[in-house]
Amino acid sequence: MRLTESGTEAPRKPDGSPGAPDAADTLPALDAREAAGVVADALLPVLAGGVIVRRPRAMSLVERTGWDRRGVERMRALRDRHGPGPLPLTVRGRAYALVLDPRDAHRVLHETPDPFSPATLEKRGSLAQFQPHGVLISGGGERTRRREFVEEVLETPEPLPGIAGRVTRVVREEAAVLLAGAERSGQLLWDEFDAAWWRTVRRIVLGDAARDDAALTAQLGALRSAANWSLAGPRRRRLRSAFLARVRSYVAQPEPGSLAERVARTPAPAGTDRAGQIPHWLFAYDAAGMATMRALAVLATHPQWAARAREEATAGEPDVPRELPLLRGCALESVRLWPTTPLILRESTARTSWKGGTLPAGTVFAVYTPYLHRAEPAAPYEDTFAPQQWTEETGRQARSNPALLPFSSGGAGCPGENLVLSTVSTLLAALVEQHQYTLASHPQLRASAPVPTTLDHFSLAFRVQPLS
């Protein structure tokens, strides 16, 4: 696809090549049976697993039944039958369009927020539970000001943000505590990892005083559980007020070196709600914890990559921040293989033109990332663990592929990507440099077999041995 100067798509023939539109061409809307199949095979597993916070039982069910794989196959079948789309469908009276072509996904994401707004009705209903003034559900000039503030605090373009020294210190201290427990028990389970992860996150974001503030994390968890129900859930306003007051208390007395300090001292226009941006960072860091544990699982079952990761981890001074390109690649591959945002939504604020027709304002464009990350658009790797595609040795192939969206992209792409990758790669380095892991849970991953479409992070378990 190529875009015209006005930002609309130049016409394409049915095979995707440029060409003049045929007068008979129309956007092929899905019939009721096909729409029901999309809901059953793609939307329901996403909703069941939990959009805002994951549900352990549902995640286990999705993994055991291969439900996500059916979603990928459903999208493949629709593209084979109807072409690259977008494919309009109606779900409970709401107009959607499935985005199946990577080039169309690139357009939607890079023309955000105008005319493709991230502040969809569904997202506003969910995220307002715990971040009523967050960037993702803001609009107009208010959104612009908040996004600029967030990017300045998080130092969005910097591979190693200024806070990287603190991140390295905090991560290594908490990793040492986690590994000491793993050595005593001989195992590493999700609950132990999750507790250590949240201690790390609270220290990075809010300061050392928040290390053991598990109550704050519990409040956020309860609000996120309510947010899973989007517009159908009750507004837990008292709990939200208590949670936000707790967050603001750390910004009111900010600890030097923490993100809270950067929030407190970074100027911003009135109405930005500086402290009110922090809940989204905590929310996003939770997904990064899942990605870290899954990355450890593929490293434990891919000895060649584990050896290279250990070599990178031990190559420099442990307390000095480094980019760790291979371990970053492992983190990015984890999110590619198991997207933490399986459904990216954008709602059009104006009529949009596509090959063969137009779609009205108010259409919700749905980018189903498991299909883009696992089917033909992800070629040549699809179901293979391939961290090298994110590194310089392959010219960062993945970065030039518009199908691969581990941190989304465009105007609403994750502003904390580099900070998150710095945190995850540093933790992976600390975990693998002196310890060996054997995956003790199911499914058993193998380097010679396709990587499963779902990997339930709650059930992951490792046997841990210190290297002699």
Side-chain angles (χ1 to χ4, degrees), residues 246-259:
R246 205 177 192 108
V247 169
R248 295 183 200 286
S249 71
Y250 288 105
V251 178
Q253 295 182 310
E255 184 174 304
S258 67
L259 279 180

Side-chain angles (χ1 to χ4, degrees), residues 67-431:
W67 207 348
D68 284 331
R69 173 57 63 182
R70 296 206 301 271
V72 173
E73 295 303 325
R74 172 71 63 177
M75 298 300 168
R76 177 183 280 123
L78 289 175
R79 179 161 182 164
D80 288 346
R81 179 176 180 182
H82 296 292
L87 303 180
L89 72 157
T90 301
V91 180
R92 301 184 66 179
R94 190 114 157 91
Y96 289 83
L98 294 176
V99 180
L100 301 181
D101 191 291
R103 296 164 297 181
D104 290 342
H106 181 274
R107 175 189 172 185
V108 168
L109 298 179
H110 285 263
E111 291 183 23
T112 293
D114 184 22
F116 302 106
S117 171
T120 66
L121 179 68
E122 297 84 354
K123 204 175 294 181
R124 294 197 306 272
S126 294
L127 297 185
Q129 286 278 18
F130 58 94
Q131 48 165 310
H133 299 152
V135 173
L136 276 179
I137 55 175
S138 302
E142 192 171 60
R143 180 193 184 279
T144 301
R145 292 188 293 273
R146 288 173 177 169
R147 176 79 187 195
E148 289 174 350
F149 170 76
V150 165
E151 289 186 358
E152 184 172 355
V153 170
L154 300 181
E155 298 176 274
T156 295
E158 298 298 328
L160 280 178
I163 198 176
R166 178 185 178 85
V167 168
T168 300
R169 176 177 64 82
V170 168
V171 165
R172 288 199 159 268
E173 288 175 358
E174 295 298 338
V177 175
L178 177 63
L179 288 168
E183 287 185 11
R184 288 193 297 271
S185 66
Q187 64 180 4
L188 176 60
L189 306 177
W190 168 255
D191 285 348
E192 298 155 357
F193 173 86
D194 189 47
W197 177 255
W198 275 110
R199 289 195 299 269
T200 303
V201 169
R202 289 192 296 265
R203 291 180 66 187
I204 291 171
V205 177
L206 301 173
D208 292 344
R211 179 187 188 269
D212 298 316
D213 193 355
L216 179 142
T217 305
Q219 288 176 329
L220 177 59
L223 289 167
R224 290 172 62 196
S225 292
N228 267 345
W229 298 100
S230 188
L231 299 174
R235 301 288 98 179
R236 303 196 63 181
R237 291 184 174 84
R238 287 187 180 179
L239 179 59
R240 184 179 69 185
S241 295
F243 165 70
L244 292 175
R246 205 177 192 108
V247 169
R248 295 183 200 286
S249 71
Y250 288 105
V251 178
Q253 295 182 310
E255 184 174 304
S258 67
L259 279 180
E261 183 199 27
R262 289 188 59 85
V263 167
R265 64 178 170 82
T266 300
T272 300
D273 190 5
R274 294 180 295 177
Q277 307 312 310
I278 290 176
H280 189 78
W281 307 344
L282 298 172
F283 167 51
Y285 253 130
D286 184 35
M290 302 176 208
T292 306
M293 196 68 157
R294 289 167 176 157
L296 190 62
V298 281
L299 285 173
T301 52
H302 291 68
Q304 176 187 1
W305 289 115
R308 292 185 61 180
R310 184 170 293 113
E311 181 181 353
E312 180 177 79
T314 56
E317 293 295 326
D319 296 329
V320 177
R322 292 181 289 149
E323 284 194 42
L324 300 165
L326 178 60
L327 286 164
R328 283 188 176 226
C330 291
L332 287 161
E333 268 297 271
S334 173
V335 185
R336 177 185 75 84
L337 292 167
W338 301 288
T340 52
T341 306
L343 204 61
I344 301 175
L345 302 180
R346 298 288 185 267
E347 185 169 349
S348 60
T349 58
R351 181 180 293 271
T352 54
S353 298
W354 307 87
K355 174 188 173 292
T358 61
L359 289 170
T363 299
V364 179
F365 290 81
V367 180
Y368 183 65
T369 51
Y371 168 73
L372 294 178
H373 287 190
R374 288 293 194 119
E376 293 82 3
Y381 298 113
E382 289 109 327
D383 293 324
T384 302
F385 176 60
Q388 76 276 15
Q389 68 174 316
W390 301 95
T391 66
E392 296 290 352
E393 65 186 79
T394 57
R396 295 184 184 269
Q397 282 176 294
R399 290 293 189 185
S400 61
N401 185 347
L404 305 187
L405 306 164
F407 284 81
S408 189
S409 185
C414 177
E417 176 177 353
N418 280 320
L419 176 60
V420 166
L421 288 175
S422 179
T423 307
V424 173
S425 59
T426 302
L427 179 53
L428 287 171
L431 293 176

Side-chain angles (χ1 to χ4, degrees), residues 16 222 264 284 318 439 465:
L439 188 63
Q465 285 185 311

Side-chain angles (χ1 to χ4, degrees), residues 20-56:
D22 188 311
D25 283 345
T26 58
L27 287 168
L30 303 188
D31 60 31
R33 181 179 177 183
E34 289 174 319
V38 170
V39 171
D41 291 339
L43 301 186
L44 277 182
V46 173
L47 295 174
V51 176
I52 305 300
V53 65
R54 299 297 189 266
R55 301 182 178 104

